[in-house]
Amino acid sequence: MDKVTTHQAQDDARNEEILIWVNGALKRKAEALVSVYDSGFMLGDGIWEGLRLYDGRWSFIDEHLDRLFEAALAIDLDIGLTRAELLDAIEETRAANGMVTDAHCRLMVTRGIKTRPFQHPGLSVQGPTVVILMEHSQPSIPRPIRLATVPHQRGLPMTQDPKLNSHSKLNCILACIAAEKAGADEALMLDVHGFVNTTNACNFFIVRKGAVWTSTGDYCMNGITRHKVIDLCRANDIPVYERNYSLVDTYGADEAFLTGTFGAQTPVGEIDGRRIGTGEMGPVTKRLRALYKELVTS
């Protein structure tokens, strides 16, 4: 079976020559390294954001930085840079790479280098590690995504709050592995009550009788693209509901799609071996994709 992922991009030879910002210095790929004692490498102790460049502008960058600084506060991590300094560093990296559009940025902050290889955050005394990695990135997803429901959940906030964009992604990686073993591209994850929640990498929506449904948002990453789609529905008289719904509702949907910074709106053609609607991108998804494109390029 052909393999597809929600973050599949065209090969671009320019990405072999990119410069990566590491703690204030621009470095080539082979030299852009972090210590084996780094908290992110050793423990997944860090946070990140994904940014998308359209026509010289980073879409919704204010919201992304709001979320980054909020996450840093939540995990008691001092980023070591002001918001203005971080914006300057992003612009420096973009300019150094000559990027104008169709670029993706992975902005990562960890608790930094540890003095000893153990868990306690007090062992991270050298300050944070900040990395800004940008690639030329044109999405290339050749067909609608196939999902498989997995037993792994996005759980309660007292374990690991799913609203955190954390470096600790093992739960989602295991979900993705389970889905691939089942012959799908990615995983559909339920919440702690058994309602449809999210996928391992994106937010999830269905369309039934012209109305757009998504989860309550209680147990998933409250994605910025997710919010923009909900806002677009409300502004354009498309009924939209944040609600609990089951796999029965999902299998009977007319359309399904995913949202995320990279792929914007990605159609889903099959879930657990059941074709969704026609199996192709449906009219509501097409309309929302056009409205979103207008939003990011206006």
Side-chain angles (χ1 to χ4, degrees):
M1 185 181 288
D2 56 322
K3 287 198 171 185
V4 173
T5 78
T6 53
H7 291 82
Q8 198 162 304
Q10 293 176 10
D11 290 334
D12 194 317
R14 293 175 295 175
N15 288 331
E16 296 308 309
E17 305 299 324
I18 57 171
L19 294 170
I20 300 167
W21 197 95
V22 183
N23 283 344
L26 286 163
K27 300 187 177 185
R28 297 200 174 276
K29 255 184 167 180
E31 300 158 357
L33 308 174
V34 298
S35 169
V36 294
Y37 276 81
D38 189 83
S39 302
F41 174 78
M42 194 171 281
L43 293 162
D45 183 5
I47 52 175
W48 61 275
E49 283 294 322
L51 304 168
R52 191 89 192 148
L53 186 69
Y54 294 102
D55 298 332
R57 292 187 307 169
W58 294 103
S59 289
F60 318 123
I61 191 166
D62 287 337
E63 289 99 321
H64 281 285
L65 291 184
D66 285 347
R67 190 167 65 181
L68 183 79
F69 278 91
E70 184 176 79
L73 179 66
I75 69 167
D76 200 25
L77 170 60
D78 182 359
I79 292 175
L81 296 168
T82 66
R83 191 185 183 100
E85 288 168 337
L86 202 50
L87 282 167
D88 287 344
I90 292 168
E91 174 55 23
E92 179 188 358
T93 310
R94 185 206 63 77
N97 286 293
M99 293 172 173
V100 177
T101 196
D102 292 325
H104 198 82
C105 171
R106 183 87 164 195
L107 169 59
M108 296 169 278
V109 187
T110 78
R111 207 174 298 274
I113 297 171
K114 304 186 90 60
T115 56
R116 298 179 66 207
F118 301 109
Q119 180 188 99
H120 198 287
L123 295 169
S124 304
V125 295
Q126 299 185 36
T129 299
V130 182
V131 174
I132 303 170
L133 190 162
M134 293 180 187
E135 289 187 335
H136 299 278
S137 174
Q138 178 69 49
S140 178
I141 303 171
R143 58 162 173 77
I145 296 295
R146 300 176 185 131
L147 299 177
T149 308
V150 298
H152 309 78
Q153 298 174 347
R154 292 284 189 99
L156 294 165
M158 69 277 280
T159 49
Q160 181 171 312
D161 196 323
K163 292 180 174 61
L164 283 173
N165 246 354
S166 162
H167 278 210
S168 307
K169 300 295 288 183
L170 189 57
N171 181 44
C172 294
I173 292 165
L174 289 172
C176 189
I177 290 169
E180 284 203 313
K181 297 282 188 188
D185 303 314
E186 295 205 357
L188 183 62
M189 302 172 75
L190 307 180
D191 68 21
V192 295
H193 305 292
F195 295 115
V196 172
N197 186 16
T198 185
T199 75
N200 59 275
C202 302
N203 289 122
F204 179 74
F205 289 75
I206 61 171
V207 181
R208 290 177 61 94
K209 296 182 172 27
V212 175
W213 295 14
T214 193
S215 69
T216 62
D218 292 337
Y219 303 103
C220 68
M221 166 58 62
N222 287 171
I224 289 162
T225 312
R226 174 186 185 271
H227 281 299
K228 297 301 175 185
V229 164
I230 291 168
D231 289 344
L232 284 169
C233 287
R234 289 173 177 157
N236 291 276
D237 298 321
I238 300 170
V240 62
Y241 304 102
E242 294 177 85
R243 60 181 295 177
N244 289 323
Y245 61 96
S246 71
L247 284 171
V248 173
D249 300 311
T250 304
Y251 297 150
D254 304 312
E255 305 174 37
F257 63 92
L258 311 175
T259 62
T261 298
F262 176 86
Q265 295 79 38
T266 304
V268 173
E270 182 182 294
I271 301 172
D272 297 334
R274 296 156 173 87
R275 190 178 73 181
I276 304 301
T278 65
E280 301 298 326
M281 185 186 297
V284 176
T285 309
K286 284 180 183 175
R287 186 180 176 203
L288 284 168
R289 184 180 262 194
L291 289 167
Y292 185 82
K293 188 175 182 182
E294 246 180 74
L295 182 67
V296 298
T297 56
S298 59

